[in-house]
Amino acid sequence: MKTITILGATGSVGSSTLDLIEREPDKFDVLALTANCDVDKLAAAAIRTNARRAVVADGSCLGDLRTALAGTGIECAGGADAVCETAAMGADWTMGAIVGCAGLPPVMAAIAQGGTVVLANKEPLVSAGDVILEAARVHGATLLPCDSEHNAIFQCFDFERPESVRRIILTASGGPFRDKSLAEMRAMTPAQAVAHPNWSMGAKISVDSATLMNKGLELIEAARLFPIDHDRIEIILHRQSVIHSLVDYVDGSMLAQLGPPDMRTPIAYCLAWPDRMATPMAPLDLVAIGQLDFEAPDPVRFPALRLAREALDAGGARPAILNAANEVAVAAFLAGRIGFLEIAAIVADTLAGYDPVAPETLDGVLAVDAEARRLASERVKDCVA
């Protein structure tokens, strides 16, 4: 049996992972589950899967977790350090699904054990790409991309002959505001931003989809994962979210991975890799879908794409600053403190005002992240004032 740890077990990706694991309990042994503070959902999942350990990152919730799991024999722990200790327990397969840069230290702890680490959150490769990849090389860890787009590319990319690849094409649904004008977008509310037309996702990534920053972060992530010049990575809008990404070859062939807009498909690919496993998804009905539409993204209405590409081109600490400032700005928007269009503006201002040397260690990345957050938070205060 494959031992499993899920970092971020109560989020959308973690819940989808649990759904697949619970369908084939004879194949998977759940070592540990972590969550931020959703005690009820974490405890219920730990009991259902007979997990050996359950951890809340918010240490103030530990008492409630112990109460919920009293008499089960499941070990309980709390705090950020406990999450990292859990990630270092040596599971065969670890799902990294903690949203934001908070997921970086536990992912690094899992990589240091040399197992298979599945990256569902973009931040480790965006903020600490070189550090993460070097750690994986040193410790012999296998990194598998779980984002639907990167998982699609992973399935289509010829790693033995990368020189045969002409382009990588990332697809984007366009989010809930793809047909809105700038004036309309200025008035959009958090509730409207998280109402994604195709996918069921958490609030933060749903807002990133609305700004298209998620696609900018995926651009940076793809540049880390695949051996291709990043100026040959393109982004197109594809409203139906049926084609999850494409690889264009020099002979004119273009390979695409198609599937329903459900994260259980890429998660299942990672769970069973290098094999495949059955999922509850119905086969695509291409006749019912009828047509597939494509269009270029509008750089004026969605400046996050330009900011991300500029950060990638500049390299060094720029992607980490981009990510940190975006997290602060999105949180402020969700809290009703700033408007939707101010998200990209705050990211741009933070990038313009901070240009440190490239970090070479995890501590260096976290220091850049902390300072970028401080500067972005000051910019948020200016907007509120």
Side-chain angles (χ1 to χ4, degrees), residues 23-168:
R23 291 172 186 274
E24 300 197 37
D26 57 322
K27 293 184 179 179
F28 305 108
D29 176 17
V30 177
L31 183 61
L33 303 176
T34 82
N36 183 35
C37 58
D38 192 338
V39 168
D40 292 341
K41 195 170 182 180
L42 175 63
I47 292 169
R48 289 197 317 270
T49 60
N50 196 29
R52 292 179 229 172
R53 191 177 217 228
V55 182
V56 279
D58 184 345
S60 67
C61 298
L62 179 56
D64 291 338
L65 181 63
R66 284 178 172 149
T67 299
L69 293 176
T72 65
I74 298 172
E75 180 186 356
C76 300
D81 289 344
V83 175
C84 288
E85 291 166 4
T86 300
M89 288 173 64
D92 298 326
W93 190 96
T94 299
M95 168 59 79
I98 298 174
V99 175
C101 213
L104 217 173
V107 161
M108 282 290 285
I111 288 172
Q113 305 311 305
T116 296
V117 179
V118 179
L119 300 176
N121 58 334
K122 302 172 179 62
E123 291 77 15
L125 284 177
V126 171
S127 297
D130 292 340
V131 175
I132 290 283
L133 295 174
E134 177 61 13
R137 185 192 68 78
V138 168
H139 297 290
T142 298
L143 301 181
L144 296 179
C146 188
D147 253 0
S148 61
E149 296 82 1
H150 303 95
N151 189 269
I153 297 165
F154 187 79
Q155 295 190 47
C156 297
F157 196 95
D158 189 346
F159 286 94
E160 294 185 0
R161 290 168 288 273
E163 70 280 357
S164 66
V165 175
R166 178 163 51 195
R167 291 180 299 163
I168 285 174

Side-chain angles (χ1 to χ4, degrees), residues 14 87 101 125 191 222 251 256-258 260 281 310-311 356 384:
C101 213
L125 284 177
D251 64 359
Q257 188 267 338
L258 286 71
M281 256 64 69
E310 288 174 354
V384 174

Side-chain angles (χ1 to χ4, degrees), residues 230-264:
H230 53 74
D231 59 356
R232 291 191 282 139
I233 305 174
E234 300 179 7
I235 296 169
I236 61 172
L237 298 188
H238 168 49
R239 292 169 178 261
Q240 291 85 2
S241 294
V242 170
I243 294 178
H244 297 297
S245 277
L246 310 95
V247 179
D248 178 30
Y249 286 89
V250 294
D251 64 359
S253 300
M254 185 175 286
L255 303 187
Q257 188 267 338
L258 286 71
D262 191 309
M263 281 301 296
R264 287 177 294 181

